[in-house]
Structures are given as structure tokens and as C-alpha cells.
Amino acid sequence: PSLPPVPRYMGGMPVSVYAGRGFEPAVSYHDPNLRACLDDMLNGSYGTELQKALQNHVDAGADLDEASEITVCVKRFG
């Protein structure tokens, strides 16, 4: 099935979930493509269901710049 271009393949879980499993943040960066995708979602480009869901988050105070930050977590062995 078609998925919106959000990094679902990466797990999409908060850093705290990974930290609780022994992972640690290695690097964080702002993803301008993800930020543009969020704007497209707010404009209804991926359907009204996603538009409404994201608008609810924004109305509740979500920061889309913060939401488009990617953190890569790693688990070190040895």
C-alpha cells in the first residue's frame, strides 16, 4: 500500500524508546524534505485523514520544525 513519505521504515519512535533499549543518540539533523512533507500534509496533499491528524497536533502545540528533526540512535557493543 502507498505510504506517505514519512520515514516509517526507520521506526518513527521517540528517542526515549530506543534509549530504554540500550541505544544512544549519535547524531541529529533537520530534514528539509520531511519538513516539506509535513507542510504538504497540512495542505491536504495526502488526504484529509492525515491532514486532520497533523492539524490536531499543531493545534495542541506541536512544532513542525522540531517534528522534522531526525535522530540516529546506535547501540554500541564491546
Side-chain angles (χ1 to χ4, degrees):
S2 177
L3 295 174
V6 177
R8 292 186 182 192
Y9 63 90
M10 294 173 20
M13 302 300 292
V15 172
S16 59
V17 170
Y18 294 101
R21 290 169 173 75
F23 289 79
E24 59 187 58
V27 64
S28 295
Y29 62 94
H30 176 79
D31 185 335
N33 293 322
L34 177 54
R35 182 61 173 89
C37 175
L38 294 174
D39 287 335
D40 289 344
M41 284 182 182
L42 277 180
N43 291 328
S45 297
Y46 301 104
T48 57
E49 185 177 331
L50 287 174
Q51 180 185 28
K52 288 177 185 178
L54 184 56
Q55 187 63 57
N56 288 340
H57 287 295
V58 170
D59 292 345
D63 181 331
L64 295 183
D65 288 328
E66 185 178 307
S68 60
E69 182 172 297
I70 303 293
T71 300
V72 178
C73 295
V74 297
K75 189 168 190 175
R76 302 182 194 281
F77 296 95

